[in-house]
Amino acid sequence: MIKLSTILAPTGVKVSRLHYNGTDTTYITYFFYNENGEAFAENREIDTSYFVQIDIWTKGDFADLAKQVLQLMKEAGYYRIYSTELYEDDTKTYHKVIRFKYVESSQ
C-alpha cells in the first residue's frame, strides 16, 4: 500500500497522520479506522480491506482541495464510501470528512 502522504503530496498541503502540529491554516489529517480480511482461501487471508478517513481543515473554501483529494485517492485505487461537511465553531475552521476503502491482495 502506498503511503497516504505520498498519494496526497501533489495537493501541496501538509499531510499528517492522526494529528497536525504545524501552523498552516489549511492541512490534511488522516487515520485508519478499520482493517479486516476481505477474502480467504484455504484458511488464509488473501485480500485485506483498509478503511481510512481523510480530514481537510481550512479557514476558507475546501471544494477544490476536496475534488483534488478525491481524484488522487481514486487514482491510487481507493474508492469513496462516505463524505460530509462540518464547521468547527471553536476554531472557526471548515472541515471536510471523506472516507475511503482500499482492498489489497496478498497474491
Side-chain angles (χ1 to χ4, degrees):
M1 179 173 26
I2 302 171
K3 289 182 66 171
L4 289 178
S5 56
T6 302
I7 294 169
L8 299 174
T11 65
V13 174
K14 300 282 187 191
V15 178
S16 183
R17 188 168 186 178
L18 297 173
H19 181 72
Y20 175 70
N21 283 325
T23 59
D24 293 13
T25 57
T26 299
Y27 57 92
I28 295 170
T29 58
Y30 69 91
F31 64 93
F32 290 89
Y33 64 91
N34 195 9
E35 176 182 330
N36 60 285
E38 181 78 17
F40 301 85
E42 299 178 13
N43 293 324
R44 213 170 52 88
E45 184 176 314
I46 58 172
D47 290 345
T48 305
S49 293
Y50 298 92
F51 296 83
V52 63
Q53 178 170 311
I54 294 179
D55 298 279
I56 299 171
W57 308 88
T58 186
K59 298 290 186 182
D61 185 18
F62 53 67
D64 289 339
L65 182 56
K67 286 179 189 175
Q68 189 177 16
V69 166
L70 184 57
Q71 184 63 37
L72 291 168
M73 293 296 285
K74 284 180 180 179
E75 289 171 2
Y78 288 77
Y79 64 92
R80 179 179 50 179
I81 57 173
Y82 174 84
S83 181
T84 192
E85 299 177 355
L86 304 165
Y87 182 73
E88 309 295 336
D89 281 323
D90 57 338
T91 59
K92 308 294 185 229
T93 302
Y94 295 95
H95 180 188
K96 176 74 172 183
V97 176
I98 312 171
R99 290 185 173 182
F100 294 91
K101 180 180 179 182
Y102 176 80
V103 178
E104 183 174 70
S105 180
S106 63
Q107 296 185 345

